[in-house]
Amino acid sequence: MSYYFAIVGTKDNPLFDHEFGTSKQGGDGVARFREEARHMNQFIVHSSLDIVEEVQWGNGQMYALEFHPYMVDLIVLVGDCYYDRYLKVVDRFHNNYISCFLTGGNIKFLLLHAPSTPTPTTATNTSRSSTSVAANPTAPATEEAIRQFMMDVYEVWVKTLMNPFYSPDMEIRSSIFRSRVAAAGKKYL
């Protein structure tokens, strides 16, 4: 399975993006997006923002805050209420699925995952192809793996917010942040 991860700011501006592949069940960690579709990843992720906002404000769980939104990320990390901010699969475009996690400061973590299409030889020779995380993007095991990935990235995100040299809605250029996102992807996806 190939993944494209993006962090979108409060003004719908891209703050971070990273492309990687699965490391589970013999994967090499390299994204396998088709070359003609690779340039569409950012567009697909950003086109799902309207649906994310509908889910965000339509279910009644999210609420408007009256103090600095980035302080909310620090407050939410302390409690257990950040688990309901994972919205699971919110959109689908052809064979691509978009999962979303919302922070308390209205930053959106979006993960585009494209399941690998099994070749006829691998589909008939392996009995475990249907139980892998890459086989079914909406399976409970896949949703849990993505949720764990989002939780790890969220913890790194909060540490980035506490950096005095980082200002809100600024693009993240840290190689350490990128390596920790890649490590979380390798660990869970």
Side-chain angles (χ1 to χ4, degrees), residues 83-140:
Y83 286 106
D84 63 353
R85 295 195 174 271
Y86 174 57
L87 302 179
K88 298 185 180 182
V89 173
V90 292
D91 195 11
R92 182 175 179 211
F93 181 78
H94 295 296
N95 197 28
N96 298 312
Y97 295 83
I98 297 102
S99 297
C100 180
F101 176 84
L102 293 169
T103 70
N106 201 25
I107 301 294
K108 296 154 193 82
F109 294 175
L110 298 165
L111 181 70
L112 176 118
H113 38 111
S116 55
T117 55
T119 60
T121 58
T122 59
T124 57
N125 291 341
T126 60
S127 61
R128 297 188 55 177
S129 65
S130 63
T131 60
S132 71
V133 171
N136 186 359
T138 58

Side-chain angles (χ1 to χ4, degrees), residues 1-4 19-22 30-34 38 41 96-97 111-116 134:
M1 187 179 297
S2 297
Y3 299 96
Y4 175 77
E19 193 174 275
F20 57 97
T22 189
V30 177
R32 304 265 187 244
F33 290 110
R34 292 188 342 259
R38 185 178 300 265
N41 289 344
N96 298 312
Y97 295 83
L111 181 70
L112 176 118
H113 38 111
S116 55

Side-chain angles (χ1 to χ4, degrees), residues 158-173:
V158 170
K159 290 176 184 176
T160 302
L161 283 179
M162 293 188 297
N163 182 350
F165 299 110
Y166 178 78
S167 58
D169 276 338
M170 186 173 80
E171 184 179 354
I172 300 171
R173 296 187 181 125

Side-chain angles (χ1 to χ4, degrees), residues 15-189:
L15 303 180
F16 177 81
D17 67 339
H18 183 64
E19 193 174 275
F20 57 97
T22 189
S23 296
K24 300 290 181 185
Q25 297 190 359
D28 58 359
V30 177
R32 304 265 187 244
F33 290 110
R34 292 188 342 259
E35 200 57 43
E36 60 271 5
R38 185 178 300 265
H39 68 281
M40 294 289 290
N41 289 344
Q42 190 174 23
F43 174 74
I44 294 168
V45 165
H46 280 76
S47 69
S48 69
L49 289 175
D50 290 334
I51 296 170
V52 169
E53 289 180 359
E54 285 178 19
V55 172
Q56 177 183 6
W57 301 113
N59 63 8
Q61 291 181 356
M62 307 298 166
Y63 48 87
L65 299 169
E66 299 199 16
F67 50 94
H68 197 274
Y70 290 95
M71 290 304 294
V72 176
D73 285 324
L74 302 176
I75 294 167
V76 171
L77 183 64
V78 175
D80 289 335
C81 60
Y82 63 79
Y83 286 106
D84 63 353
R85 295 195 174 271
Y86 174 57
L87 302 179
K88 298 185 180 182
V89 173
V90 292
D91 195 11
R92 182 175 179 211
F93 181 78
H94 295 296
N95 197 28
N96 298 312
Y97 295 83
I98 297 102
S99 297
C100 180
F101 176 84
L102 293 169
T103 70
N106 201 25
I107 301 294
K108 296 154 193 82
F109 294 175
L110 298 165
L111 181 70
L112 176 118
H113 38 111
S116 55
T117 55
T119 60
T121 58
T122 59
T124 57
N125 291 341
T126 60
S127 61
R128 297 188 55 177
S129 65
S130 63
T131 60
S132 71
V133 171
N136 186 359
T138 58
T142 306
E143 293 290 343
E144 182 61 23
I146 293 172
R147 187 184 71 79
Q148 291 292 333
F149 167 76
M150 296 286 196
M151 291 298 114
D152 276 14
V153 173
Y154 182 65
E155 289 179 16
V156 177
W157 168 256
V158 170
K159 290 176 184 176
T160 302
L161 283 179
M162 293 188 297
N163 182 350
F165 299 110
Y166 178 78
S167 58
D169 276 338
M170 186 173 80
E171 184 179 354
I172 300 171
R173 296 187 181 125
S174 169
S175 61
I176 294 171
F177 186 87
R178 184 170 298 279
S179 67
R180 289 191 180 163
V181 169
K186 187 174 184 179
K187 182 177 180 182
Y188 296 111
L189 305 174

